Amino acid sequence: MKNMNHKNYQVCTRCVMDTSDPEIVFNSEGVCNHCIKFDEETSKRWFPNLEGEKKLKKTFDKVKKDGKGKDYDCILGLSGGLDSAYLALILKEHNLRPLVVHVDAGWNSELAVYNIEQIVKFCNFELYTHVMNWEEIKDLQISYLKAGVANQDVVQDHAFFSTLYQFAMKNNIKYVINGGNIATESVFPSTWHHSAMDAININDIHKKFGKIKLKTYKTISFWKYYIYYPFIKKMTPIRPLNYLPYSKEAALSILKAKVGYKEYGRKHGESRFTKFFQNYYLPTKFNQDKRLPHLSSQILSGEISRDEALELLSKPLYEPNELKEDKAFIAKKLDIPELELDKLISAPGNLYSDYKNWDSRYAKLKGVQKMLQKLLGKSVSKYG
């Protein structure tokens, strides 16, 4: 598969986001709204400096203090990807005692299994691997393909967070270590995605297209995600990478040297499905190249130059032989003919909002949040 043809789009003069994002706007100098938002808002929550070191130490000291007398003081979801792998080293370096959980949704690459083993062994952490019911995952994944929505990774992502929070509750852990970070993820078009935590959306899609009952696939309700976990159970997500000078290249180099970590060659190579979804399904069906926001984030954080990003974008999303192999693998794994997979991908895409969702509830919650913040004069949210 060739690289997407971006030459017909207007491109930001500072990053590489372009008009494939339908809501992008540019100022008189050709700089996009994503860059302006980074300067005016996002960068204010990013501390890759001495101030960040102090904030991180203070946060980790509290985690350790609250965790005294418990088996674990925090929980970390380990996918085998670069962010969570590097986080494991950070936690070891700061003498934290995480319960490390890996959720196997059936799509692990061989390299992911190897990397997870190497990381856990080096850090001497206890790992719990939760293997999802493949028949349920398969049925839900096919349902999502039939629904034709953009975010096909909801099936894995929701299972990951749901399992993580279940284990946190079971083990009386209140701190959830999260690999999300501003350095590489500050840019993301709002029209390109919908929250993977919307269980209403998941259940409606499965009700319309699924064939079996989901007996073991547990979802997190709107109430639990936004109210019960953060405010009643006081569960707190922590993003340590926002308090460090985080660089993908530097993190990879450290992981290779310390644990023998092996590079995937592309973002999210730890999951065979995510790799296929991001590099073929999205650009083919929705004209979305996720390299754009990823590279733009790295430009804004100073990790790479705009010229370097443009050079990377000139390369193919998929080599023909690699695509052929992965497509055959995905179809076989899902027990559907490759021709059917092609038809599902080539069919017109649908919006998540074509199915039941939590948007009305979310709008009401945001209204209450704004009212409370005005009355109290401070933030009442634990989720960004």
Side-chain angles (χ1 to χ4, degrees):
M1 180 181 178
K2 295 182 179 179
N3 56 298
M4 285 181 63
N5 185 359
H6 296 280
K7 68 181 180 180
N8 296 322
Y9 298 113
Q10 180 181 350
V11 185
C12 176
T13 55
R14 180 176 170 191
C15 71
V16 290
M17 283 303 301
D18 61 29
T19 45
S20 60
D21 169 14
E23 291 187 348
I24 197 170
V25 291
F26 304 93
N27 66 13
S28 58
E29 297 176 343
V31 177
C32 76
N33 55 299
H34 297 291
C35 293
I36 294 168
K37 182 179 180 180
F38 178 85
D39 291 339
E40 297 180 353
E41 298 177 30
T42 313
S43 62
K44 305 296 190 295
R45 306 192 303 272
W46 184 42
F47 305 94
N49 46 36
L50 185 60
E51 183 183 1
E53 279 185 39
K54 293 177 180 177
K55 286 178 178 290
L56 188 59
K57 184 181 183 304
K58 183 178 180 181
T59 298
F60 280 166
D61 284 347
K62 180 169 176 54
V63 171
K64 285 187 269 191
K65 181 182 177 182
D66 290 351
K68 277 187 177 180
K70 298 179 181 179
D71 292 334
Y72 314 100
D73 50 28
C74 58
I75 191 167
L76 170 69
L78 184 62
S79 67
L82 190 62
D83 297 339
S84 62
Y86 187 66
L87 267 180
L89 296 189
I90 296 299
L91 297 184
K92 175 181 170 57
E93 183 182 319
H94 286 83
N95 299 311
L96 271 80
R97 299 176 292 109
L99 169 60
V100 181
V101 177
H102 173 68
V103 180
D104 182 356
W107 294 111
N108 282 350
S109 65
E110 290 181 11
L111 273 186
V113 176
Y114 169 82
N115 283 334
I116 290 168
E117 289 176 351
Q118 293 297 105
I119 294 157
V120 173
K121 182 180 178 181
F122 176 83
C123 295
N124 195 29
F125 288 156
E126 184 175 347
L127 172 70
Y128 185 90
T129 298
H130 179 71
V131 180
M132 301 294 293
N133 181 306
W134 173 246
E135 291 304 312
E136 293 184 12
I137 291 289
K138 180 173 68 174
D139 190 61
L140 188 53
Q141 196 72 72
I142 292 172
S143 296
Y144 261 76
L145 286 167
K146 290 179 177 178
V149 294
N151 192 357
Q152 293 289 311
D153 249 358
V154 166
V155 178
Q156 292 185 80
D157 289 347
H158 194 95
F160 174 81
F161 285 106
S162 175
T163 303
L164 204 63
Y165 274 77
Q166 286 176 54
F167 272 92
M169 291 283 289
K170 184 178 179 180
N171 290 278
N172 194 27
I173 298 169
K174 63 182 288 188
Y175 295 103
V176 182
I177 308 300
N178 189 310
N181 65 90
I182 288 169
T184 67
E185 299 172 346
S186 63
V187 175
F188 205 90
S190 60
T191 56
W192 281 18
H193 76 123
H194 177 61
S195 175
M197 302 314 297
D198 188 346
I200 296 173
N201 209 222
I202 294 172
N203 291 328
D204 192 49
I205 286 173
H206 186 255
K207 182 179 179 181
K208 284 183 167 62
F209 302 104
K211 293 182 178 180
I212 66 173
K213 187 175 181 180
L214 301 181
K215 295 180 179 179
T216 62
Y217 187 97
K218 305 297 182 183
T219 57
I220 300 178
S221 68
F222 181 86
W223 155 256
K224 276 192 172 181
Y225 185 64
Y226 280 110
I227 306 296
Y228 181 71
Y229 286 148
F231 295 108
I232 296 177
K233 300 304 292 184
K234 306 294 183 182
M235 292 179 70
T236 305
I238 298 173
R239 296 187 170 188
L241 299 181
N242 285 338
Y243 301 95
L244 300 166
Y246 183 56
S247 157
K248 292 275 190 184
E249 187 176 343
L252 180 60
S253 179
I254 291 169
L255 282 164
K256 283 181 175 180
K258 288 191 174 183
V259 309
Y261 188 89
K262 293 184 179 179
E263 191 173 358
Y264 297 108
R266 61 175 73 236
K267 187 175 175 66
H268 291 306
E270 68 272 18
S271 166
R272 294 288 296 270
F273 185 83
T274 303
K275 172 189 169 188
F276 179 78
F277 149 66
Q278 289 199 357
N279 295 289
Y280 183 70
Y281 176 92
L282 276 180
T284 300
K285 195 177 187 76
F286 289 94
N287 199 34
Q288 296 176 6
D289 185 344
K290 291 196 75 171
R291 295 178 302 177
L292 294 177
H294 293 149
L295 293 171
S296 292
S297 298
Q298 289 177 287
I299 291 169
L300 294 174
S301 65
E303 183 175 358
I304 62 173
S305 69
R306 187 172 184 273
D307 286 342
E308 287 173 314
L310 290 171
E311 173 63 25
L312 290 169
L313 285 171
S314 71
K315 297 178 180 179
L317 277 157
Y318 249 123
E319 295 297 340
N321 288 339
E322 185 184 13
L323 174 59
K324 183 179 179 180
E325 180 184 324
D326 283 355
K327 188 186 290 186
F329 175 84
I330 298 293
K332 184 177 180 180
K333 183 84 173 172
L334 291 174
D335 287 331
I336 60 175
E338 199 170 322
L339 183 61
E340 182 179 348
L341 179 61
D342 282 331
K343 286 181 178 178
L344 289 170
I345 294 173
S346 62
N350 295 317
L351 301 173
Y352 80 89
S353 54
D354 291 335
Y355 306 94
K356 293 179 182 177
N357 56 76
W358 71 11
D359 285 2
S360 61
R361 297 185 188 190
Y362 184 78
K364 289 176 183 177
L365 182 66
K366 294 299 287 185
V368 172
Q369 180 192 36
K370 287 180 181 178
M371 181 181 69
L372 288 174
Q373 287 179 169
K374 188 175 181 181
L375 289 171
L376 300 174
K378 62 179 182 178
S379 174
V380 292
S381 174
K382 285 197 176 186
Y383 293 98

